[in-house]
Amino acid sequence: MGHGKETPRQKMIGMMYLFLTCMLALNVSKDILDAFIQINNSLNETNRNFVNKNAIVYQEIEKAFMANQNKVRRVKEASDSLSKKANFLVDRFQHFKDSIIIYADGIPQSDLIRIGGKRFIFDEKLKDTVSLEEIVKSKDNTDKPAQIMVGSDPDGSKGQARFLKEDVDRFREWAIATAVQFGQDTNSVLVRNIKTSLNTAPIQPKGGAGKPHSWASRNFEYLPLIAVIANLSQMQSLVRNIEGDLLNLMYHGIDASSFKFNKVVPMILPRETYIMQGNEYVANIFLAAFDTTTPTRVMVGERELPIDPATGLPILRMTGGALGPQTYTAKIIIKDPVTEKDIVHPVTGQFQVAKAGLVVSPTKMNVFYIGVDNPVAISVPGVPADKITAFLTPAGAGSITKAAGGNYIVRVTQPGRVNIAVTADFNGNKRSMGQEEFRVKQVPNPVAMVLNQEGGQIDKARLLAATTVDAKMKDFDFDLSFTVQSFNMSVKIGIYTEELAAPSNRITQPMKQKLQQVTKGSKVYFENIKATGAGSTRSLGVLLFTIN
């Protein structure tokens, strides 16, 4: 063919030879394509293994962070950023793998199912979703990948590869900076591997002749579609490998195998070893050369101590009960950084409980009366009056008001018992100084009187001179008065008993007229006497006078 005139037989033989050659070429091409398919499948499996292995390291970093957030925070934040950036770049590679297959095979968008960063189609035979890489038809197509990724210019400046190259460049520079941040030299094996694996610079052809091959051209041009897919899968694998190397670098940077102190010594630092009864014992329990980033638990009995936000140390608070020395045992618990088992350090503490130095002196008597001002003096030895605070318990029992100096006025509202509790301010720290109990009573009834006489024998002239019936407090030290609001007077005149009522404390004129008629030996009664005072009305009983 093409070398002179041929007979029809020769032409037929030539055609058959050409057909045979094409058939042989097709068989070789099919073998090569099948090999690329196997390579791509292996790369995808490798990528899945990378993801699983990296997930284990991510979990270990998370676990270390939960155990010690202050120490691991830098690693945790860097690993979170690594996960986001690596996943983004892997998803970008997957996007272009799927896009090339969709364009080459002419798959309608309506047939696509997006799951995560990949696109699938539903296989009616399998009754399940399958990835586009599993069902690609245009495996030998060399035009479609180049049209999408390279475009009309061989350097890739007009194809989609230019955007993918920018993503790879950003990830490479971030990965190098992160490796250096965690102690790697710019010439270390890890940094050199990152630079080599993600190199997107043009490559000069062997021998130095010809135009340099761009990253887009050498990865996406003049290659069958399945080879381009395998290249993109290889890039995904490189990213996952670099992700794993950086993760291991970060994890070992935690330095979880060592304490940040060379001697573990349990200690108790009490704020005071001598406290007042009912006051609070406060102490810090910690390890010498204490590392504030290492969580430490302290148990006293079954109770775990809270952490004092001011010092970052466990703090013990106990109320002083019985007098004398008080002893307790604590356990300081830290985790072994390698085995994560608890290491327990027992320690014993002691403090003294003394009787509170509170002085409460009632200025009248050890009783508070309802409805009157009850003065009381309160002092604490060695503490100025302006540093003392007093209050009544229980709440709602009444009020206590500071007067001059150490004097207070107490007002109570209901019978029973109340306590005066006192706190003292020691250099800005308020401490309880104890409390004193008082009985609460109603004010006793006043005594009804006429002319300061509570009944008995009286001259008629003297009784006629009286103008009021009075109510007076007898043997009561408080300045308190009652006023008679009404009363009745009854007297026997002849065979009749006369009874008259007064609407106030004054003896009325009709009563005077009846008193004019009484004779020696007559009895005069003042009864139903009502008096008000101290917020209440009292019935005062009967006054009986006998005329002399």
Side-chain angles (χ1 to χ4, degrees):
M1 298 178 65
H3 52 271
K5 189 175 181 181
E6 295 179 328
T7 65
R9 178 179 174 81
Q10 289 175 321
K11 290 181 179 180
M12 184 177 69
I13 293 172
M15 289 292 294
M16 291 177 65
Y17 181 81
L18 178 62
F19 178 77
L20 177 60
T21 303
C22 292
M23 290 297 294
L24 291 173
L26 285 173
N27 288 335
V28 172
S29 176
K30 181 177 182 299
D31 291 339
I32 293 174
L33 294 178
D34 289 343
F36 274 117
I37 292 172
Q38 293 301 321
I39 292 172
N40 186 66
N41 291 340
S42 297
L43 287 171
N44 285 335
E45 183 63 28
T46 299
N47 291 339
R48 285 190 287 269
N49 291 336
F50 273 132
V51 170
N52 294 334
K53 290 179 180 179
N54 291 345
I56 295 173
V57 185
Y58 280 120
Q59 290 172 4
E60 290 300 316
I61 292 175
E62 178 69 23
K63 185 178 180 181
F65 177 70
M66 296 306 296
N68 191 333
Q69 296 190 10
N70 290 334
K71 184 178 292 185
V72 187
R73 188 178 305 280
R74 172 171 167 265
V75 172
K76 178 66 167 60
E77 291 175 351
S79 67
D80 287 346
S81 183
L82 172 62
S83 176
K84 292 178 182 178
K85 292 180 182 297
N87 288 339
F88 172 80
L89 187 54
V90 168
D91 286 346
R92 287 284 286 163
F93 288 133
Q94 189 63 48
H95 167 77
F96 286 108
K97 286 166 66 175
D98 293 342
S99 297
I100 290 170
I101 296 172
I102 292 169
Y103 178 57
D105 284 355
I107 300 174
Q109 290 292 327
S110 58
D111 291 348
L112 298 175
I113 301 171
R114 182 178 290 275
I115 302 176
K118 297 182 66 174
R119 281 168 283 186
F120 299 78
I121 64 173
F122 188 80
D123 190 304
E124 291 291 344
K125 294 181 179 179
L126 298 176
K127 298 299 181 182
D128 197 1
T129 55
V130 294
S131 68
L132 302 183
E133 296 167 57
E134 296 179 68
I135 49 87
V136 58
K137 299 175 182 177
S138 307
K139 301 180 184 69
D140 57 345
N141 190 297
T142 58
D143 295 329
K144 301 298 185 181
Q147 290 173 12
I148 293 177
M149 303 304 294
V150 181
S152 59
D153 196 324
D155 65 1
S157 61
K158 296 183 179 179
Q160 294 297 311
R162 69 184 188 276
F163 302 115
L164 187 57
K165 177 180 177 298
E166 291 174 358
D167 295 330
V168 173
D169 289 343
R170 278 193 294 268
F171 181 80
R172 182 186 64 246
E173 296 308 314
W174 180 88
I176 293 172
T178 302
V180 172
Q181 178 187 352
F182 281 88
Q184 292 291 298
D185 187 82
T186 53
N187 291 320
S188 66
V189 175
L190 174 57
V191 172
R192 290 202 307 268
N193 178 55
I194 295 172
K195 291 179 179 178
T196 303
S197 300
L198 301 179
N199 180 27
T200 60
I203 296 178
Q204 188 71 30
K206 291 182 179 181
K211 187 177 181 181
H213 290 175
S214 69
W215 180 78
S217 176
R218 67 176 183 264
N219 283 290
F220 307 112
E221 196 172 28
Y222 307 120
L223 294 174
L225 182 146
I226 192 62
V228 171
I229 298 303
N231 276 345
L232 289 169
S233 296
Q234 172 68 6
M235 294 176 193
Q236 289 177 317
S237 182
L238 292 172
V239 172
R240 290 303 185 194
N241 186 47
I242 292 171
E243 179 186 16
D245 289 342
L246 288 175
L247 271 179
N248 288 325
L249 176 65
M250 294 173 184
Y251 182 68
H252 287 98
I254 295 174
D255 191 21
S257 62
S258 62
F259 292 110
K260 294 302 179 183
F261 41 86
N262 56 14
K263 189 176 181 180
V264 180
V265 180
M267 294 187 66
I268 295 179
L269 180 62
R271 296 182 184 176
E272 293 177 322
T273 57
Y274 188 88
I275 66 171
M276 300 297 183
Q277 184 179 21
N279 214 2
E280 190 174 57
Y281 172 76
V282 181
N284 291 125
I285 300 179
F286 62 100
L287 296 175
F290 188 81
D291 179 8
T292 57
T293 68
T294 302
T296 301
R297 296 169 53 226
V298 176
M299 303 292 296
V300 176
E302 299 298 323
R303 177 167 61 106
E304 181 172 347
L305 302 187
I307 301 298
D308 185 349
T311 63
L313 301 175
I315 186 167
L316 171 64
R317 300 180 185 274
M318 297 177 68
T319 301
L323 301 179
Q326 306 295 317
T327 303
Y328 62 92
T329 299
K331 292 186 295 184
I332 304 173
I333 306 170
I334 59 174
K335 283 190 177 296
D336 185 289
V338 177
T339 65
E340 294 191 354
K341 293 182 178 179
D342 286 342
I343 302 174
V344 180
H345 297 272
V347 63
T348 300
Q350 187 179 63
F351 61 95
Q352 293 281 339
V353 179
K355 183 70 176 178
L358 170 66
V359 177
V360 179
S361 302
T363 55
K364 294 294 183 180
M365 59 192 74
N366 194 31
V367 174
F368 290 149
Y369 288 101
I370 298 171
V372 299
D373 290 343
N374 298 272
V376 64
I378 301 175
S379 64
V380 176
V383 181
D386 62 345
K387 299 294 185 181
I388 296 173
T389 303
F391 54 93
L392 286 185
T393 61
S399 64
I400 182 169
T401 306
K402 182 177 287 190
N407 295 314
Y408 293 78
I409 298 298
V410 176
R411 299 278 299 188
V412 287
T413 58
Q414 57 189 16
R417 294 179 183 273
V418 297
N419 292 300
I420 293 182
V422 176
T423 61
D425 189 331
F426 292 91
N427 298 321
N429 295 320
K430 286 191 175 182
R431 303 179 187 174
S432 172
M433 303 307 299
Q435 56 187 12
E436 195 74 21
E437 186 180 70
F438 286 80
R439 295 168 294 159
V440 179
K441 294 184 176 182
Q442 293 283 357
V443 171
N445 284 345
V447 177
M449 295 183 179
V450 173
L451 298 173
N452 291 323
Q453 189 173 335
E454 298 179 44
Q457 301 290 325
I458 191 170
D459 292 336
K460 178 178 177 179
R462 178 174 168 77
L463 184 57
L464 285 171
T467 59
T468 59
V469 176
D470 302 314
K472 297 186 177 182
M473 299 301 296
K474 193 173 182 180
D475 300 325
F476 192 67
D477 293 333
F478 289 84
D479 184 14
L480 178 65
S481 62
F482 277 79
T483 301
V484 173
Q485 299 296 319
S486 64
F487 65 92
N488 293 341
M489 186 191 80
S490 60
V491 61
K492 190 173 183 179
I493 307 296
I495 62 173
Y496 300 102
T497 298
E498 301 285 346
E499 184 173 351
L500 298 94
S504 66
N505 66 333
R506 299 192 65 80
I507 299 175
T508 64
Q509 190 60 36
M511 292 179 177
K512 294 277 191 181
Q513 293 172 357
K514 295 297 180 183
L515 290 175
Q516 290 283 1
Q517 301 176 35
V518 299
T519 59
K520 185 178 180 179
S522 296
K523 297 186 183 299
V524 180
Y525 297 87
F526 293 92
E527 53 193 355
N528 294 328
I529 303 170
K530 305 291 184 183
T532 58
S536 62
T537 299
R538 311 288 180 87
S539 295
L540 305 187
V542 179
L543 284 176
L544 171 60
F545 290 94
T546 302
I547 303 300
N548 288 333

